[in-house]
Amino acid sequence: MNIPPEIDELMWAIADQDDPNAVFEFEKRYPRYANELFRRLKTVDALKASGKTVPVAPVPVFKNTTAPKPNYRLPALLTTAAILAVSVFAFYTGSLNSKPQVQPTTTTAAMDQQARPEVAMSNELPKQPMSVPQQPSQPLNQPIQSPTTQPQIDNSGAKLIEMHIESAPLHAAIQLIAQAGKMKVTIAPGLANPNIKIDYDKMTALQMLQALGKDYAFTPLMDGEREILVLPTRDEDTQSSSDNRLN
Amino acid sequence: MSAVFEQTGGFDEDSILVDRYLRGDHTAFEELYRKYYTKVFGLSKGVLIDAEEAADVTQEIFGLVYRNLHKFNRQSKFSTWLFRVAVNRSIQESRKRRFKHKHVELNEALEHPAVIQTSEEEDPNVQAALEKLAPPDRAILILFYWQELSLNEIADSMSINLSAAKTRLYRARERFRSFYEVQS
């Protein structure tokens, strides 16, 4: 089964988070991948459960064990003595046979060939998932007010920000919110992109997206410390209510 | 990574214990040892599979930390630095022992076929699948799923960048899944 990278990434994120709502929404939206998601959920569950069964031995007393140093002395002495002997021998034989020697010419091209460092194999990075958010199809009707940010911190350590937008496409607004909260956001395909207006004060980026998601039918999911996945919901009722808000 | 740690304003309470130890209070190291022993043992066992080997390596890891704590530069949290030492040492040891195990006598191998040691609750399919992975793959899965570190912390612990950590996790997961599904 050839799975698009963004769906692949989304499935792992959902499997890791183990959020029943996200699982339900995904299966509703992508029924052909439901079985694949189930397999990943099973794998992740088994892996997580295995960690909980690591036998916890009673903590032993700490012993500062230094590994015994191998005895290099004798071989090192012998080696040094051998090198000295060879050097002295070479010196004396060299001084006795002091003929002018022609310095061999080196072929610089050949030397370059040998000396060329090997190119390190770089880790092949997977292709980046399709860039979502897509470019807004509708131009901005009115200038977006610059988000004013105040360096306040909430209990979880995230910045509290303000966001006031007169009119902008939803995708662009989501990006702005994420940027203001110093987060990276990926919007799954299929999310509608109507023009919206928002007025949020002293909320974190995630809180804003959660509030916005209730109105515009999507769920923001944390995917790592600084990344958010936006997953659209396909509830007909939610969709129609969000349309009504535009009028 | 250290910038992220500084931005969120996270306070590393372990640095108090580190300071005390560096000023000569050795009981502070005992506290760190007791606090992190189980996690480090869990990580080592995940990489090395064998509990006895893991116990030995865990002692070595704390020995290394004990002798080199003055080199901890506070660019990251103490736990991240500790995990970095633990991951490196465990992977090193795993590679050494893998090499040793390959050279076991044939008749010895026939007399004592390898048995995966599991406790009653451990899933033997998970253990078997983990054993088939390379040590760095095991390490990253354990850090993510057992120790529940973030990708940033994992990147720090494995001395790689965030993008590389994501890639490695993705690949390790896929490899584990392929082995696990065959086993089960």
Short mmCIF file of all heavy atoms in Angstrom, two decimals, chain B residues 52-74:
data_model
loop_
_atom_site.label_atom_id
_atom_site.label_comp_id
_atom_site.label_asym_id
_atom_site.label_seq_id
_atom_site.Cartn_x
_atom_site.Cartn_y
_atom_site.Cartn_z
N GLU B 52 21.31 -8.77 33.41
CA GLU B 52 22.60 -8.78 34.15
C GLU B 52 23.60 -7.84 33.51
O GLU B 52 24.29 -7.08 34.19
CB GLU B 52 23.17 -10.19 34.15
CG GLU B 52 22.80 -10.98 35.39
CD GLU B 52 23.49 -12.34 35.41
OE1 GLU B 52 24.70 -12.38 35.16
OE2 GLU B 52 22.78 -13.34 35.65
N GLU B 53 23.68 -7.93 32.19
CA GLU B 53 24.59 -7.03 31.47
C GLU B 53 24.17 -5.58 31.70
O GLU B 53 25.02 -4.71 31.86
CB GLU B 53 24.56 -7.34 29.97
CG GLU B 53 25.23 -8.66 29.60
CD GLU B 53 25.21 -8.93 28.10
OE1 GLU B 53 24.71 -8.09 27.34
OE2 GLU B 53 25.68 -10.01 27.71
N ALA B 54 22.85 -5.36 31.68
CA ALA B 54 22.34 -4.00 31.88
C ALA B 54 22.74 -3.48 33.26
O ALA B 54 23.11 -2.31 33.41
CB ALA B 54 20.83 -3.97 31.72
N ALA B 55 22.67 -4.33 34.26
CA ALA B 55 23.04 -3.91 35.62
C ALA B 55 24.52 -3.52 35.68
O ALA B 55 24.89 -2.51 36.28
CB ALA B 55 22.73 -5.02 36.62
N ASP B 56 25.36 -4.33 35.02
CA ASP B 56 26.80 -4.02 34.99
C ASP B 56 27.05 -2.69 34.30
O ASP B 56 27.81 -1.84 34.78
CB ASP B 56 27.58 -5.11 34.22
CG ASP B 56 27.61 -6.42 34.98
OD1 ASP B 56 27.34 -6.39 36.20
OD2 ASP B 56 27.87 -7.46 34.36
N VAL B 57 26.43 -2.54 33.15
CA VAL B 57 26.65 -1.31 32.37
C VAL B 57 26.10 -0.09 33.10
O VAL B 57 26.69 0.99 33.05
CB VAL B 57 26.02 -1.45 30.96
CG1 VAL B 57 26.02 -0.11 30.24
CG2 VAL B 57 26.79 -2.47 30.15
N THR B 58 25.01 -0.28 33.82
CA THR B 58 24.44 0.84 34.58
C THR B 58 25.44 1.32 35.63
O THR B 58 25.63 2.53 35.81
CB THR B 58 23.12 0.43 35.24
OG1 THR B 58 22.23 -0.05 34.23
CG2 THR B 58 22.46 1.57 35.97
N GLN B 59 26.08 0.39 36.29
CA GLN B 59 27.10 0.79 37.27
C GLN B 59 28.25 1.53 36.58
O GLN B 59 28.77 2.53 37.09
CB GLN B 59 27.66 -0.45 38.00
CG GLN B 59 26.73 -1.02 39.05
CD GLN B 59 26.58 -0.12 40.27
OE1 GLN B 59 27.41 0.75 40.53
NE2 GLN B 59 25.51 -0.31 41.00
N GLU B 60 28.64 1.03 35.40
CA GLU B 60 29.72 1.70 34.66
C GLU B 60 29.31 3.11 34.27
O GLU B 60 30.11 4.04 34.32
CB GLU B 60 30.06 0.92 33.38
CG GLU B 60 30.89 -0.32 33.62
CD GLU B 60 31.17 -1.06 32.32
OE1 GLU B 60 31.37 -0.38 31.28
OE2 GLU B 60 31.16 -2.30 32.33
N ILE B 61 28.06 3.25 33.85
CA ILE B 61 27.57 4.57 33.43
C ILE B 61 27.64 5.55 34.59
O ILE B 61 28.15 6.67 34.45
CB ILE B 61 26.11 4.46 32.91
CG1 ILE B 61 26.10 3.74 31.56
CG2 ILE B 61 25.45 5.83 32.80
CD1 ILE B 61 24.74 3.26 31.12
N PHE B 62 27.17 5.12 35.74
CA PHE B 62 27.22 6.03 36.89
C PHE B 62 28.65 6.29 37.35
O PHE B 62 28.96 7.36 37.87
CB PHE B 62 26.34 5.51 38.04
CG PHE B 62 24.89 5.82 37.84
CD1 PHE B 62 24.01 4.85 37.40
CD2 PHE B 62 24.40 7.10 38.09
CE1 PHE B 62 22.67 5.15 37.19
CE2 PHE B 62 23.06 7.40 37.89
CZ PHE B 62 22.20 6.42 37.44
N GLY B 63 29.50 5.28 37.13
CA GLY B 63 30.92 5.50 37.43
C GLY B 63 31.50 6.59 36.54
O GLY B 63 32.22 7.48 36.98
N LEU B 64 31.13 6.53 35.26
CA LEU B 64 31.59 7.55 34.31
C LEU B 64 31.08 8.92 34.72
O LEU B 64 31.82 9.91 34.69
CB LEU B 64 31.06 7.24 32.90
CG LEU B 64 31.82 6.23 32.06
CD1 LEU B 64 31.02 5.86 30.82
CD2 LEU B 64 33.18 6.80 31.66
N VAL B 65 29.81 8.96 35.07
CA VAL B 65 29.20 10.24 35.47
C VAL B 65 29.89 10.78 36.73
O VAL B 65 30.22 11.97 36.82
CB VAL B 65 27.69 10.06 35.70
CG1 VAL B 65 27.08 11.28 36.36
CG2 VAL B 65 26.99 9.77 34.39
N TYR B 66 30.15 9.89 37.67
CA TYR B 66 30.79 10.27 38.93
C TYR B 66 32.16 10.91 38.69
O TYR B 66 32.52 11.92 39.28
CB TYR B 66 30.93 9.02 39.79
CG TYR B 66 31.54 9.22 41.15
CD1 TYR B 66 30.77 9.68 42.21
CD2 TYR B 66 32.88 8.92 41.39
CE1 TYR B 66 31.33 9.85 43.47
CE2 TYR B 66 33.44 9.09 42.64
CZ TYR B 66 32.66 9.54 43.68
OH TYR B 66 33.21 9.71 44.92
N ARG B 67 32.91 10.32 37.76
CA ARG B 67 34.27 10.83 37.51
C ARG B 67 34.27 12.04 36.60
O ARG B 67 35.25 12.79 36.57
CB ARG B 67 35.13 9.71 36.89
CG ARG B 67 35.41 8.55 37.84
CD ARG B 67 36.45 7.60 37.24
NE ARG B 67 35.99 6.97 36.01
CZ ARG B 67 35.19 5.93 35.97
NH1 ARG B 67 34.71 5.39 37.08
NH2 ARG B 67 34.83 5.40 34.81
N ASN B 68 33.20 12.23 35.84
CA ASN B 68 33.24 13.30 34.84
C ASN B 68 32.19 14.39 35.06
O ASN B 68 31.94 15.19 34.16
CB ASN B 68 33.05 12.70 33.44
CG ASN B 68 34.22 11.83 33.04
OD1 ASN B 68 35.31 12.33 32.79
ND2 ASN B 68 34.02 10.53 33.06
N LEU B 69 31.61 14.42 36.23
CA LEU B 69 30.55 15.38 36.48
C LEU B 69 31.07 16.82 36.39
O LEU B 69 30.32 17.74 36.06
CB LEU B 69 29.90 15.12 37.84
CG LEU B 69 28.52 15.70 38.09
CD1 LEU B 69 27.60 15.50 36.91
CD2 LEU B 69 27.91 15.09 39.34
N HIS B 70 32.34 17.01 36.65
CA HIS B 70 32.90 18.37 36.55
C HIS B 70 32.89 18.85 35.10
O HIS B 70 33.01 20.04 34.84
CB HIS B 70 34.34 18.40 37.09
CG HIS B 70 35.27 17.47 36.38
ND1 HIS B 70 35.29 16.10 36.61
CD2 HIS B 70 36.20 17.70 35.44
CE1 HIS B 70 36.20 15.54 35.84
NE2 HIS B 70 36.77 16.49 35.12
N LYS B 71 32.71 17.94 34.14
CA LYS B 71 32.69 18.33 32.73
C LYS B 71 31.28 18.69 32.25
O LYS B 71 31.11 19.13 31.12
CB LYS B 71 33.21 17.19 31.85
CG LYS B 71 34.67 16.88 32.06
CD LYS B 71 35.14 15.77 31.15
CE LYS B 71 36.55 15.36 31.48
NZ LYS B 71 36.94 14.12 30.80
N PHE B 72 30.28 18.50 33.09
CA PHE B 72 28.91 18.83 32.70
C PHE B 72 28.79 20.34 32.59
O PHE B 72 28.97 21.08 33.55
CB PHE B 72 27.95 18.27 33.76
CG PHE B 72 26.52 18.72 33.61
CD1 PHE B 72 25.86 18.64 32.38
CD2 PHE B 72 25.80 19.22 34.68
CE1 PHE B 72 24.55 19.04 32.25
CE2 PHE B 72 24.48 19.62 34.56
CZ PHE B 72 23.86 19.53 33.34
N ASN B 73 28.48 20.83 31.37
CA ASN B 73 28.58 22.27 31.11
C ASN B 73 27.26 23.03 31.21
O ASN B 73 27.20 24.20 30.86
CB ASN B 73 29.21 22.49 29.73
CG ASN B 73 28.37 21.88 28.61
OD1 ASN B 73 27.24 21.44 28.84
ND2 ASN B 73 28.91 21.81 27.42
N ARG B 74 26.19 22.37 31.66
CA ARG B 74 24.87 23.01 31.88
C ARG B 74 24.23 23.54 30.60
O ARG B 74 23.29 24.33 30.67
CB ARG B 74 24.93 24.19 32.89
CG ARG B 74 25.86 24.07 34.02
CD ARG B 74 25.35 23.13 35.09
NE ARG B 74 26.40 22.90 36.06
CZ ARG B 74 26.31 23.17 37.34
NH1 ARG B 74 25.19 23.67 37.83
NH2 ARG B 74 27.31 22.93 38.16
#
